[in-house]
Amino acid sequence: METAVLRGRPREFDVDQALTAALRVFWSKGYEGASMTDLTDAMGITRPSLYAAFGNKEALFRKALDLYEREKLCYMGQALEAPTARGVAQRLLQGSLENQTSRDDPRGCLGVISSVACGAEADCIRQEVLERGRIAHQALIERMERAVAEGDFHTPVDAEGITKYLTAILQGMAVQAGAGASREDLQRLVDTTLAVWPSR
């Protein structure tokens, strides 16, 4: 007599591996550029399996974005813990450099790609990406405000202005990396930014 009852067929694929594969597709092609066929081929699953495990394409993208932030952008949270504003900038720039020059991952930034390459039909995705970016941006502003209050800068500095400057550099690195810039090119940008950074 059987002591256990099988409830449905077990999944025949690794959910984590499938999500990692989906992330690479979104990262390479953006949200709208990634077709369902692209996703299922890369994930090695059928459409019904994708829907059953992840929901629709929008839900899959959100899970992929969570994975991206957790694994690829973890250096951002660590950077905010640096003891000086210059240390924050250095960790952010170096983390971005390593990300953009990894041989294992696509070039460019998933957030940048998906925020600028979404049409009207995918506006909810674009808005979510922008909102996540806004939250990260605000955390960096608050860290720079603390640095200003602690006398970390040797010249008068606007916390929001210096944050926007640093964010523009990071976004520029992502765009240049996506266009084929070499590690040496990006390292030069990092070095120049730190050379003109207005704090010890």
Side-chain angles (χ1 to χ4, degrees), residues 23 27 64-73 108-111:
L23 169 58
W27 196 346
L65 193 56
D66 288 340
L67 177 63
Y68 177 74
E69 291 180 343
R70 189 166 61 248
E71 292 192 354
K72 307 302 179 182
L73 301 183
C109 172
L110 177 61

Side-chain angles (χ1 to χ4, degrees), residues 5-200:
V5 178
L6 294 177
R7 298 185 179 181
R9 296 177 59 189
R11 288 200 178 110
E12 299 175 354
F13 65 93
D14 184 298
V15 173
D16 291 336
Q17 288 182 1
L19 183 57
T20 298
L23 169 58
R24 291 182 64 83
V25 174
F26 284 128
W27 196 346
S28 299
K29 300 190 174 187
Y31 177 75
E32 285 192 318
S35 69
M36 290 299 290
T37 299
D38 291 332
L39 292 164
T40 53
D41 285 352
M43 298 165 77
I45 62 177
T46 62
R47 288 195 185 200
S49 294
L50 186 154
Y51 293 132
F54 301 103
N56 58 17
K57 180 183 176 183
E58 185 178 318
L60 175 62
F61 179 80
R62 288 194 168 96
K63 290 182 174 69
L65 193 56
D66 288 340
L67 177 63
Y68 177 74
E69 291 180 343
R70 189 166 61 248
E71 292 192 354
K72 307 302 179 182
L73 301 183
C74 59
Y75 68 89
M76 290 189 167
Q78 296 165 0
L80 296 179
E81 299 172 3
T84 65
R86 181 184 176 82
V88 172
Q90 188 165 17
R91 290 185 187 182
L92 284 174
L93 291 164
Q94 196 61 41
S96 177
L97 176 67
E98 297 304 324
N99 243 15
Q100 302 303 338
T101 57
S102 170
R103 294 182 178 180
D104 300 324
D105 295 317
R107 292 293 189 97
C109 172
L110 177 61
V112 172
I113 293 168
S114 298
S115 63
V116 300
C118 281
E121 293 182 3
D123 189 60
C124 59
I125 288 294
R126 180 175 182 273
Q127 292 305 320
E128 174 156 350
V129 170
L130 291 174
E131 176 61 16
R132 293 191 189 208
R134 188 197 65 76
I135 292 171
H137 186 75
Q138 183 59 37
L140 186 53
I141 289 175
E142 291 172 3
R143 178 62 186 87
M144 291 301 160
E145 287 175 341
R146 195 182 102 200
V148 170
E150 292 173 349
D152 197 19
F153 294 98
H154 57 63
T155 59
V157 166
D158 170 56
E160 186 170 354
I162 197 73
T163 297
K164 288 183 176 179
Y165 166 72
L166 184 54
T167 300
I169 296 295
L170 293 169
Q171 291 176 339
M173 288 175 66
V175 171
Q176 289 186 34
S182 68
R183 183 183 179 92
E184 291 72 23
D185 291 334
L186 298 177
Q187 183 66 63
R188 196 174 299 120
L189 186 55
V190 169
D191 294 343
T192 301
T193 302
L194 293 175
V196 300
W197 188 259
S199 72
R200 61 184 185 277

